[in-house]
Amino acid sequence: MSLLNLENLTATYGVSQALFGVDLTMEEGEVTALMGRNGMGKTTTVKAICRMIASEGGLSLDGQDLHGLPSHRVARMGVGLVPEGRRCFADLTVRENLIAAARPGDWTLETVFQLFPRLGEREGQRAVSLSGGEQQMLAIGRALMTNPRLLILDEATEGLAPIVRQEIWAALRKLRSETSVAILLIDKSLAELSAVSDKAVILERGKTVWSGPMAELGNDITERYVGV
Ligand code: ATP
């Protein structure tokens, strides 16, 4: 049984339909890139998985239907989200932000600080005083503290300096090689996405138009659907 399964998923914002049939399957420990041009439905797909928007069609985690469950239940089932725009508690310290998210498992303050040593150095600082890159590391650290089975990152390197982006990609490579967490990634950097992902799923106008092993994703497909 797959870890995550979306089958012909549809979703609407009020009267405006955004997803028209998303198919996506993920196995444990697998890294999947969710790709497509702006406005094609990537963030909406993530919101549907996390039950932040109503949807119809197949949506299950470990074979359990997620429809009808509130977001916090989906989080407790093992879905950790690093949302677009970070969203840490600005007035809490790094340590407090991490502890607030903690659930039992291998990820603890210590292991998060091993992955992102800068967070350890700033553990007593309020989140608001961190740089953009450090806030992003904190957002990833918070999601890891929930000890997820599926980690979702929506544009985690957006707007960051190249050197900080590299630190985040290095951390993702480490998660891939050293842990069994499955990762669903949305990012604009095709080169980095291709290097770290096992699979790709491409959306066009709210529908899956291509999916398969990253190694089989040819230039013709990326030119056509991702605009490179
Ligand atoms: P981007 O890379 O720009 O974030 P995306 O692929 O994540 O794009 P979505 O944000 O999921 O795309 O948007 C899919 C469609 O839903 C778009 O047509 C968008 O205009 C629409 N949409 C997104 N958010 C809302 C909203 N809150 N209300 C109404 N329509 C929305």
Side-chain angles (χ1 to χ4, degrees):
M1 188 194 303
S2 298
L3 176 63
L4 179 72
N5 194 39
L6 275 54
E7 216 176 311
N8 199 21
L9 196 78
T10 58
T12 51
Y13 290 101
V15 292
S16 155
Q17 188 164 352
L19 301 184
F20 292 85
V22 175
D23 295 313
L24 188 160
T25 303
M26 286 183 69
E27 311 300 332
E28 199 170 328
E30 197 171 65
V31 181
T32 298
L34 183 58
M35 302 165 74
R37 295 194 180 90
N38 287 348
M40 291 305 170
K42 303 178 297 293
T43 296
T44 306
T45 299
V46 167
K47 286 186 184 165
I49 296 169
C50 297
R51 298 285 303 139
M52 294 154 74
I53 178 174
S55 56
E56 285 178 26
L59 174 62
S60 62
L61 189 75
D62 267 339
Q64 183 177 343
D65 186 9
L66 297 183
H67 284 128
L69 298 183
S71 303
H72 68 269
R73 282 281 304 281
V74 176
R76 213 175 303 150
M77 283 171 71
V79 178
L81 172 63
V82 181
E84 222 175 352
R86 296 159 207 150
R87 313 220 186 105
C88 298
F89 296 116
D91 289 330
L92 297 189
T93 64
V94 166
R95 185 189 180 85
E96 287 164 346
N97 261 284
L98 292 171
I99 287 173
R103 274 202 299 271
D106 290 342
W107 287 103
T108 59
L109 279 179
E110 196 182 4
T111 47
V112 168
F113 291 159
Q114 272 165 16
L115 185 68
F116 294 121
R118 280 177 191 231
L119 291 183
E121 289 159 19
R122 286 158 180 68
E123 95 178 88
Q125 257 174 253
R126 291 194 314 153
V128 70
S129 70
L130 301 178
S131 71
E134 289 160 359
Q135 285 186 25
Q136 190 59 263
M137 290 171 196
L138 181 55
I140 298 172
R142 277 176 53 85
L144 289 172
M145 288 292 282
T146 69
N147 278 286
R149 300 177 59 202
L150 169 63
L151 179 67
I152 304 177
L153 295 108
D154 191 352
E155 305 268 13
T157 66
E158 178 87 0
L160 301 180
I163 189 157
V164 184
R165 279 214 293 266
Q166 286 316 315
E167 282 182 52
I168 296 199
W169 286 114
L172 294 178
R173 284 194 293 272
K174 211 163 168 190
L175 290 180
R176 183 194 181 202
S177 60
E178 295 175 15
T179 76
S180 64
V181 69
I183 307 176
L184 183 61
L185 273 176
I186 299 175
D187 201 277
K188 293 204 169 62
S189 169
L190 193 60
E192 300 290 357
L193 266 187
S194 321
V196 79
S197 305
D198 302 295
K199 275 188 355 194
V201 173
I202 304 183
L203 303 185
E204 170 131 301
R205 296 203 182 89
K207 209 171 158 46
T208 299
V209 287
W210 191 91
S211 63
M214 194 46 106
E216 289 176 16
L217 180 61
N219 286 340
D220 51 335
I221 303 291
T222 46
E223 272 165 30
R224 186 159 158 198
Y225 296 121
V226 191
V228 179

